[in-house]
Amino acid sequence: MKNNFQQSLKEELNQFLLVQKNKFPVSETLKIDLHCHDRNSDVPDELIGRILGVPETWLPTEKLLEELLKNGCDTFTVTNHNNARSCYELQDKGEDILTGAEFSCMVPDFDVGIHVLSYGFTPEQETKLKKLRRSVYEFQEYAASENIPTVWAHPLYHYTARENPPQDFFNKMLLVFERFEMMNGQRDSWQNLLVKEWIRQVTPENMDEYAKKFRLNPKNFSAAPNHKVLTGGSDCHYGIFAGMTGTYLHVPDLQNRLKTATRSELALAALRNKTIAPFGAYQDSSKMTIAFLNYVCQIALNYKDPGLVRLLLHKGDASDKLIALAASNLFCEVQKHGVTTSFVKIFLDSMLGKKPPILKKLLVKSEYKPIFNEAVNFAEKHNITDNRLVDEYYRSVLTINSRLCQILADRINKKLEKADTAKLFENESINTFIEKLELPLSIRAYLGGQDKKQNNTVDVAGFLDDLSFPFFSALFILSAHFTSAKTQFNTRPLLSDFSRNLGKYSHPKRIMWLTDTFGDPNGISVFLKEMLEEIKRKNLPIDIVCCSSSLKPEDHLVVLKPVQEFTPPFYTDYQFKVPNFVELHNLFFSGGYDRIICSTEGIMGLFGLYLKHAYTVKASFYMHTDWLMFARKVLNIEGRNLSRVRRILRLFYKAFDKVLVLNSEQKAWLSGTRMNLKPENVRETAHWVNSRFKAMPSNKELAFDLPESVLVLLYVGRVSREKGVLELPAIYRQAKETVPHLKMVIAGKGPAAEQLKKEIPDAVFLDWVSQDKLPLIYASADMLVLPSRFDTFAMVVLEALSCGLPVIAYNTKGPKDIIKHEQCGFLVETPEEMAERVTEFLRNGDKAAFKKAALERAAAYNADHIIAELLENVELTEEVSA
């Protein structure tokens, strides 16, 4: 799927970089990466890294210089965090290196942390700079007084602040800085171009205005504060992309000046004179994904358990520590698996151009050979010195991931075939299984001292046997994608505000609507098909995304092929389909989406939450099903286990920004004390029906093969226990005693069909009826009966009313909101009352009045109005009106 927004960014950035490339004569230009790191960046800014006690990289200094030289740099610096140790070590060895460091500084009046690249300082000046980091104003004033050139690194990526800084923060920093890193090799092109446009729009009048507003003299920080310039740097921590993004430094009469001065001296002079221009290339998240994959692999090989006490005592909230605990256990577990660590080592070496020994390749299992061979191919691609390297590396990563997913899926299928899963999920034991979904509080349980008879936890380790290599390797790849997107789009709200203020580069609004079911014979699929038709008709910026091996993609419908399909033994009427998660991750970016709606609580719903956090977007959940009642009625879950199901649902729904519900009862439940969602985050919506559902003459002979004189009590829907169909025999028999020429007609199929055929042998069973034939069925019946207390909306009620058919249902959930009692139908409390009302209506009811009221009520459910309200709830109205 083509992302026109990203394409436009690419074209504009390429044009800008071409201008920068031709800005200075090649013979008078030095080429330097002003932002790169090695092993001496040993204290990360990110809290999780500090809790785990891992450095930002293990890259040797010599390897960094080798990569910089390979990628075309002729002048060098190393900008480690808060220290210049690598520069001093190289200088002591006689290398010509420009002293540099990336200092973490605070902007105290805004409580925001930023990074400041600094160059050409002495060890004594470095000591002073470190002391001043708590105030960027003091830091910058000192740097200016000592003629130390500084650069604000990745200005739209900040630290510390819980909320995005206000525009005043950026306006004030314009007074403090004169050099801005516009091309950062670890940020996407949207962020980089926003920096370029921001600086382009700054005028001397702006500077005067800000100086007066903040009572700050910009000349305290620069002799020429109105002269702003842009720089570039790879921000590479792992070597592989060092030097591919950087800065041209203009040095007039370069060749002659090199006779009397070093490159580092000339580079420092050019930085001071601001005769500089950035270089690089368009980039999306793939480059950073490779970088983070490299880093995750480094951690996997070098990780040492920091200890639980350190984790507990370290600063950070509970969520930070839980993430750190999970990551620590993952890395410790990986180090126990020889195949995984061997692959990681080959992968890392190959990324830096080192091929593994022949013997190691020969010892690889045949099943894994394609994966290991693809990893080895990295070494052959290593000599590519332009942005094609990113494309080639990333293609290999996707190939490896696809193969890993297939191996993992095959092995899981074999395990499921071997295991007696059907017995595990029998109704009488599913409660036991849910009880085992727990982690014991007792420390003795983890030390192996707990009595095995009292062990109430699921044996996850046993199930994961033989899955370690494909599971961990695929998890590493997905984690790298997540971290890449999270790092680049963590400030998405800020980027959106910035683009709006600049009047340029606004990200389009577009919804990815995720569902586990589409094209299946159920209410969710029926609604989504209708939604798709409206999306097409209105050309809305919405795509429905599902996973299927049989559906074909079409406009606004994206179909992903599953890597695995399985039927849960506790609910054999549904087949789960598992997509390639990396493919779905990339689809979100390539499709230009900026928000999510999920329609199912399954695999797609969970991945919707992954995407929400990866890309920092808003996600809404469209609630179609009452799963608590399903658990009780269908799965026979009861007691404390039912409460556990409710808590799981609460955790899931609270993770979304909005929950869209289909009836007032659900809204009250979700915002009540049991579920505790914020009332403003729970919004009511509704369904509508296709225009084919309309009043038409009755034709019982064609519809049911019955005489027109026979009265028909109709049921339409899934024939299953949770739908209340087992109440139909008693209701029908009681009504038939008074209305002898009554006939029960059941349209639908399901697990309870055979039982109903035995209990109502004279009923007409139509099996499943297609949507195009249903209008005649409704129009030819005399009343629709819905014995379900399960339906959150009950599309069949609206379908029937649209055809002029009165409906009787229980006074609950969806039907309660749709049916106007004693006007277009009846709302009752018990099966006995239902039978009485059926009898009364069929004998004495004003059928013409009820039909008229039914049609009027159905007309209130208008697709245009419902969709407009839905778009408003998910904040998409501006884009649609535009």
Side-chain angles (χ1 to χ4, degrees), residues 451-492:
D451 188 340
K452 290 184 179 180
K453 292 180 182 178
Q454 297 179 4
N455 186 5
N456 289 324
T457 58
V458 175
D459 183 16
V460 177
F463 186 79
L464 288 177
D465 282 347
D466 300 325
L467 303 180
S468 301
F469 170 63
F471 174 74
F472 287 130
S473 300
L475 183 61
F476 278 3
I477 292 173
L478 184 61
S479 299
H481 279 85
F482 177 89
T483 310
S484 169
K486 185 68 177 174
T487 302
Q488 295 194 62
F489 295 104
N490 190 45
T491 57
R492 181 186 287 268

Side-chain angles (χ1 to χ4, degrees), residues 550-790:
S550 58
L551 290 172
K552 301 296 181 186
E554 51 187 281
D555 286 348
H556 295 282
L557 176 66
V558 180
V559 181
L560 303 177
K561 294 296 179 186
V563 295
Q564 185 179 21
E565 299 178 76
F566 67 94
T567 300
F570 56 84
Y571 191 57
T572 56
D573 290 339
Y574 182 74
Q575 187 178 53
F576 279 100
K577 304 168 188 73
V578 184
N580 182 322
F581 293 134
V582 169
E583 181 184 5
L584 185 49
H585 172 102
N586 286 339
L587 175 64
F588 191 87
F589 179 83
S590 64
Y593 304 105
D594 78 321
R595 62 202 65 206
I596 298 162
I597 295 178
C598 298
S599 265
T600 46
E601 290 89 343
I603 292 166
M604 289 298 217
L606 290 171
F607 203 78
L609 291 175
Y610 163 96
L611 291 172
K612 165 184 162 63
H613 292 288
Y615 285 98
T616 317
V617 295
K618 290 187 177 180
S620 302
F621 189 81
Y622 200 122
M623 189 175 174
H624 298 269
T625 307
D626 184 344
W627 286 108
L628 202 61
M629 182 172 283
F630 181 87
R632 186 171 69 248
K633 293 278 189 181
V634 179
L635 302 180
N636 292 331
I637 297 172
E638 54 195 25
R640 291 194 307 173
N641 288 331
L642 194 63
S643 293
R644 182 166 292 179
V645 171
R646 175 178 56 79
R647 293 186 184 105
I648 292 170
L649 289 171
R650 180 174 62 196
L651 181 69
F652 179 78
Y653 295 137
K654 288 185 82 168
F656 288 88
D657 297 285
K658 301 259 179 69
V659 178
L660 305 167
V661 298
L662 290 164
N663 61 72
S664 56
E665 192 175 298
Q666 258 183 334
K667 183 177 182 181
W669 178 65
L670 285 172
S671 55
T673 55
R674 302 283 283 173
M675 297 298 279
N676 205 30
L677 273 68
K678 293 179 181 178
E680 62 269 23
N681 292 342
V682 183
R683 305 291 179 87
E684 272 193 76
T685 184
H687 292 168
W688 64 92
V689 296
N690 190 282
S691 58
R692 70 168 68 94
F693 291 95
K694 57 188 177 183
M696 62 181 67
S698 170
N699 190 334
K700 290 179 180 172
E701 185 177 352
L702 181 60
F704 314 121
D705 196 23
L706 293 172
E708 199 63 40
S709 59
V710 172
L711 295 174
V712 171
L713 183 62
L714 176 68
Y715 171 81
V716 176
R718 178 175 161 77
V719 186
S720 57
R721 182 181 173 187
E722 76 274 10
K723 292 288 189 175
V725 296
L726 298 184
E727 296 178 6
L728 287 175
I731 294 168
Y732 174 55
R733 281 193 294 267
Q734 183 179 336
K736 195 171 176 66
E737 288 176 3
T738 311
V739 188
H741 53 296
L742 179 65
K743 203 72 168 175
M744 185 82 225
V745 174
I746 296 172
K749 63 180 182 179
E754 291 306 313
Q755 183 176 346
L756 282 186
K757 286 177 182 178
K758 291 177 183 178
E759 294 194 30
I760 324 176
D762 64 328
V764 176
F765 288 86
L766 299 179
D767 202 67
W768 182 79
V769 178
S770 63
Q771 287 281 298
D772 60 317
K773 293 179 180 177
L774 269 177
L776 179 63
I777 301 291
Y778 287 124
S780 301
D782 294 280
M783 176 170 259
L784 178 78
V785 58
L786 183 67
S788 170
R789 300 178 188 270
F790 178 70

